[in-house]
Amino acid sequence: MKLHEYQGKEILRQFGVNVQDGKVAYTPDEVRTIAREYGQPVVVKAQVHVGGRGKAGGVKFSPTIDKAFENAEKILGMDIKGLTVNKVLVTKAVDIDAGVEYYVGMIVDRNVQSFTLMASAEGGVEIEEVAAATPEKIIHHRVDPVTGLRPYEAREVAIKAGFKGNLNKIADMMVKMSKAALERDAVLVEINPLFIDADGTPLALDTKFEIDDNAMYRHQDLLSWRETEAEHPLEIEAAKYGFAYVKLDNGNVGVLGNGAGIVMTSLDVVNRAGAKPANFLDIGGGAKAEIVYNAVKLVSKDSDVKAIFINIFGGITRADEVAKGVIQALNEGILTKPVRMRIAGTAETEAKALLAEVNSPLIQMYPDMFQAAEAAAADANKADANTAGDKK
Amino acid sequence: MSILVNKDTHVIVVGMTGREGANHTKAMREFGTKVVAGVTPGKGGQTHEGLPIYNSVGEAVSNHQVDASIIFVPPAGAADAVLESAHAGVPLVILITEGVPTVDMMKAVQEVKALDHASREEGGKGVRLIGGNCPGLISSGECKIGIMPNSIYAEKGRIGLISRSGTLTYEAGKLLQLAGLGTSTTVGIGGDPVIGTTFADVLPLFEADPDTDAIVVIGEIGGADEEAAAEYIKHNMKKPVVAFISGRSAPAGKRMGHAGAIIMGNVGTPESKLAAFKDANVPVADTMPEIIELVKKVLNK
């Protein structure tokens, strides 16, 4: 689960990290009130779950109270990469010239099977750009998941990264950030910029914080922060049913399979067949008929989808359960688009018997995934061509 | 011969009385796996399908020869179950569970590695964890510790298979079977960001196995495990290796189910994996059936 900047800052504050003061506002009037309270220049920052807010005009320095109000009027309601800004964070402005900006972050790193702590003296810009252009300017350090980051390690990293300031205070801040990452099951935590003032004291000016969805059961207190409006409506519905669904742009074939690997390969196969996948839907392992029924229902609802390609290789998943789910959708009239499927593995014979019994032109089986994908691609492209013809 | 397991491997099932545990215990026994006992805390003393159930792995180990354990425990207790098996001295631990918190896996994997090291220092067998979120491993015709469909792996072949994806493991296994090549041992290493055994950990076992002639590696986008495998192959492998990478057309930045299947920056892109395999002289199949053509080609060399 991705957190907003103000939420990530709240967590870091709970772990003792020195975080810049700020308050959330939903209207320009609220922004004015907060700016008046702070009595100094403020920064108005869009709170949306995408990167590059600054470049999109979603972060504005506001030297006066009136300017803060004006900026809030501009930012609230703004569209940033398809998401509408409905709240802003108002923070006290910091005189950047009176200090330095650094970067620190922790990320789950499968290569070291733990977190990697990253630090760079190149703060305040997108770290991906630094990584691409000058990777040597980012210091990497594996964090022991049991002991967490120790102060001496943090000092070493800070020294290697070339941080100037109060080393003990900076190290202490990094240790606290690492504690937050481990205890709050972060996938990613970034403090960027990390501002070091003239006295050498660190202050977190901006943060990114993302929590491992698998660990949400032990962070029930954060569940109210989940914002479903930032997700695709069908993705929200999919989450309710417990399968992984990703809406893809400009597609016309619904793609459904059992397992991330087979679904990814199915996307590749649809592309090769000359059509475009409209989604990625993994029914997961051991799915029962009801899950499959809901999956078919969900994909059918997507008006971009002109044909559905189902690719099943049953292991823990029983192919007959998959067939039952598809048949139920057909019987209830939910299935109106052609389903082209390849079905193999556990209970394959039973599944084929069930589907043969139904004998509907809407559901056709193919001996391998390529033929099924090609059939779905042909159906979808034909439907698209017909629609285009109608429009003329 | 085979790697890691064979017809004499004695297996316990942790979580045998649960739905998945029960179903797959049955399937494993049908395959011919020597399942000797189950473990379900609180159900010790009962029997399941004629097998004794114990309250702890320790109890099972004191009463039976145990060479491996397979874990069907829900995510919240899965890492703990791994550590229970590892501390009880089970040399091979297979975690099937999907959705285990990453931090739990980081801690468990690290502890298992420390135990492995300590055990080997003392001249013991060590401890190896495979998974989580994996289909397990299977030596064709001999032993299955996992959830793969039995029929694909009935006959012994001479191709080793390692895969990050469960379903693609079956897919490749089936294609190798239909082509008359068959598999020696298949290891599903799992798709999670932190796993016990990686491609590079399994490759040397196949290199040393006299009954494996070539190895198929099935990777996917995200992470750098394929790149690490390519590096290992380049410097250490004499046997031919063929690779496949799933998700090559997936859009960058979107998470495709597996936590690992996401492209972060330039790390884990299909391009970097293709380049790494090319550098190691490993042919990469564009489609799954092409894997077979490539395997035939490398075998004829």
Side-chain angles (χ1 to χ4, degrees):
Chain A
M1 179 170 97
K2 278 185 186 172
L3 305 187
H4 284 299
E5 174 190 355
Y6 74 92
Q7 295 165 332
K9 281 179 166 173
E10 178 54 35
I11 291 184
L12 288 173
R13 189 180 283 118
Q14 287 166 7
F15 280 84
V17 174
N18 187 24
V19 175
Q20 184 188 28
D21 286 336
K23 282 182 180 167
V24 176
Y26 295 83
T27 64
D29 283 327
E30 285 172 23
V31 170
R32 181 167 21 221
T33 309
I34 298 165
R36 191 170 284 145
E37 186 191 318
Y38 285 157
Q40 63 175 72
V42 295
V43 184
V44 181
K45 307 169 96 175
Q47 298 295 292
V48 278
H49 289 304
V50 287
R53 292 171 301 164
K55 277 184 195 151
V59 178
K60 288 199 185 296
F61 175 73
S62 312
T64 64
I65 292 165
D66 286 343
K67 195 72 190 165
F69 180 86
E70 258 175 56
N71 285 334
E73 277 189 316
K74 277 184 204 149
I75 295 170
L76 284 161
M78 195 176 159
D79 178 282
I80 302 180
K81 295 181 186 170
L83 294 175
T84 307
V85 180
N86 59 31
K87 58 186 161 187
V88 291
L89 175 63
V90 185
T91 65
K92 287 182 184 175
V94 166
D95 180 7
I96 297 293
D97 295 335
V100 278
E101 292 180 296
Y102 296 139
Y103 168 93
V104 289
M106 267 182 53
I107 188 166
V108 168
D109 183 352
R110 57 185 297 147
N111 301 326
V112 298
Q113 297 175 319
S114 185
F115 281 102
T116 286
L117 171 71
M118 295 180 292
S120 177
E122 302 283 314
V125 293
E126 287 198 28
I127 199 66
E128 291 81 2
E129 289 169 16
V130 181
T134 48
E136 70 282 359
K137 288 189 176 163
I138 304 174
I139 301 305
H140 293 80
H141 177 80
R142 179 183 186 271
V143 176
D144 186 304
V146 178
T147 62
L149 183 72
R150 268 81 60 97
Y152 81 88
E153 295 175 279
R155 286 195 301 275
E156 274 174 11
V157 169
I159 292 164
K160 275 191 202 156
F163 285 8
K164 305 277 184 290
N166 183 321
L167 260 188
N168 285 326
K169 279 187 183 174
I170 295 169
D172 180 58
M173 186 279 309
M174 284 157 84
V175 166
K176 285 168 173 162
M177 179 188 76
S178 135
K179 207 163 182 268
L182 276 156
E183 288 184 19
R184 281 304 196 169
D185 286 288
V187 174
L188 166 87
V189 183
E190 281 183 354
I191 301 178
N192 186 30
L194 168 68
F195 182 71
I196 311 285
D197 69 13
D199 294 335
T201 305
L203 176 69
L205 292 192
D206 198 351
T207 63
K208 262 189 204 166
F209 208 115
E210 191 178 342
I211 295 179
D212 179 2
D213 284 318
N214 287 339
M216 282 312 292
Y217 68 88
R218 53 189 177 211
H219 304 289
Q220 295 290 315
D221 57 323
L222 305 183
L223 276 181
S224 62
W225 283 357
R226 175 152 260 162
E227 279 171 18
T228 47
E229 68 265 28
E231 296 162 24
H232 192 278
L234 293 180
E235 289 179 5
I236 299 159
E237 203 176 324
K240 270 190 258 165
Y241 299 134
F243 42 70
Y245 170 89
V246 182
K247 170 74 184 156
L248 302 173
D249 299 332
N250 309 319
N252 57 2
V253 177
V255 180
L256 194 159
N258 61 321
I262 201 168
V263 184
M264 276 196 288
T265 287
S266 304
L267 302 183
D268 296 344
V269 172
V270 167
N271 268 302
R272 289 177 71 93
K276 287 273 172 212
N279 66 275
F280 166 103
L281 198 162
D282 174 10
I283 59 170
K288 294 286 169 199
E290 194 192 345
I291 296 281
V292 179
Y293 164 76
N294 285 326
V296 171
K297 192 162 115 183
L298 185 94
V299 174
S300 301
K301 269 189 201 168
D302 183 344
S303 59
D304 292 345
V305 170
K306 303 296 176 343
I308 302 170
F309 168 37
I310 299 182
N311 193 4
I312 300 293
F313 207 121
I316 202 163
T317 306
R318 290 182 60 93
D320 56 349
E321 287 289 326
V322 175
K324 280 179 200 163
V326 177
I327 293 166
Q328 192 191 340
L330 178 79
N331 290 343
E332 291 184 15
I334 287 161
L335 194 67
T336 52
K337 293 160 186 173
V339 171
R340 305 301 174 226
M341 61 197 294
R342 191 290 294 255
I343 205 159
T346 308
E348 173 183 331
T349 320
E350 292 91 327
K352 285 182 174 162
L354 286 170
L355 289 164
E357 207 174 296
V358 173
N359 191 25
S360 160
L362 272 183
I363 309 174
Q364 270 169 33
M365 280 178 291
Y366 295 84
D368 66 48
M369 69 163 91
F370 300 97
Q371 290 172 40
E374 271 161 22
D379 286 333
N381 288 343
K382 203 172 137 196
D384 272 346
N386 287 342
T387 327
D390 292 346
K391 278 178 191 158
K392 281 173 199 163
Chain B
M1 267 292 287
S2 50
I3 65 162
L4 295 164
V5 293
N6 58 38
K7 58 181 176 15
D8 298 318
T9 304
H10 290 60
V11 181
I12 57 167
V13 180
V14 181
M16 191 195 270
T17 54
R19 189 185 80 182
E20 298 303 343
N23 285 342
H24 289 287
T25 298
K26 202 161 157 258
M28 281 189 278
R29 293 177 85 189
E30 281 163 10
F31 188 79
T33 304
K34 285 200 171 85
V35 180
V36 294
V39 175
T40 301
K43 294 196 174 172
Q46 300 181 7
T47 57
H48 179 87
E49 302 258 340
L51 292 170
I53 302 292
Y54 295 94
N55 280 322
S56 71
V57 176
E59 279 180 26
V61 167
S62 2
N63 287 287
H64 301 270
Q65 177 189 339
V66 178
D67 305 306
S69 73
I70 179 166
I71 297 170
F72 292 99
V73 170
D80 185 57
V82 166
L83 293 174
E84 184 186 2
S85 281
H87 279 282
V90 179
L92 180 63
V93 183
I94 289 116
L95 176 62
I96 303 297
T97 312
E98 187 176 352
V100 183
T102 304
V103 166
D104 293 4
M105 285 308 295
M106 288 175 182
K107 291 178 182 170
V109 165
Q110 177 162 315
E111 197 166 333
V112 167
K113 292 225 156 123
L115 285 168
D116 177 55
H117 187 72
S119 161
R120 285 175 196 282
E121 289 273 290
E122 290 165 14
K125 289 181 193 160
V127 193
R128 180 188 294 277
L129 168 66
I130 295 178
N133 189 15
C134 82
L137 79 166
I138 186 161
S139 276
S140 298
E142 291 198 47
C143 176
K144 170 173 96 164
I145 311 181
I147 60 175
M148 303 88 162
N150 288 355
S151 62
I152 301 169
Y153 307 92
E155 298 288 328
K156 190 127 207 107
R158 299 189 59 85
I159 309 300
L161 184 58
I162 324 170
S163 170
R164 260 169 82 179
S165 148
T167 30
L168 294 185
T169 313
Y170 318 153
E171 193 79 53
K174 178 98 184 181
L175 290 168
L176 287 165
Q177 184 195 37
L178 288 174
L181 291 161
T183 42
S184 52
T185 300
T186 297
V187 186
I189 58 171
D192 277 354
V194 177
I195 50 177
T197 297
T198 63
F199 290 125
D201 296 326
V202 184
L203 285 166
L205 306 178
F206 278 129
E207 178 74 14
D209 175 26
D211 289 330
T212 296
D213 295 335
I215 300 106
V216 173
V217 167
I218 299 179
E220 59 191 28
I221 54 164
D225 283 9
E226 291 78 3
E227 287 86 336
E231 190 66 20
Y232 182 85
I233 294 163
K234 190 180 167 184
H235 298 291
N236 305 289
M237 299 280 291
K238 292 201 170 59
K239 289 182 184 172
V241 182
V242 167
F244 175 77
I245 298 155
S246 172
R248 280 160 69 175
S249 68
K254 295 240 184 197
R255 181 167 294 157
M256 298 292 163
H258 279 184
I262 181 171
I263 305 173
M264 307 279 280
N266 291 325
V267 183
T269 59
E271 292 76 23
S272 94
K273 292 180 195 298
L274 289 174
F277 281 128
K278 195 179 172 206
D279 185 46
N281 257 326
V282 173
V284 181
D286 275 338
T287 65
M288 299 227 45
E290 204 189 318
I291 292 172
I292 306 303
E293 290 165 37
L294 294 177
V295 169
K296 284 181 176 164
K297 208 186 263 180
V298 297
L299 285 177
N300 284 336
K301 262 182 193 165

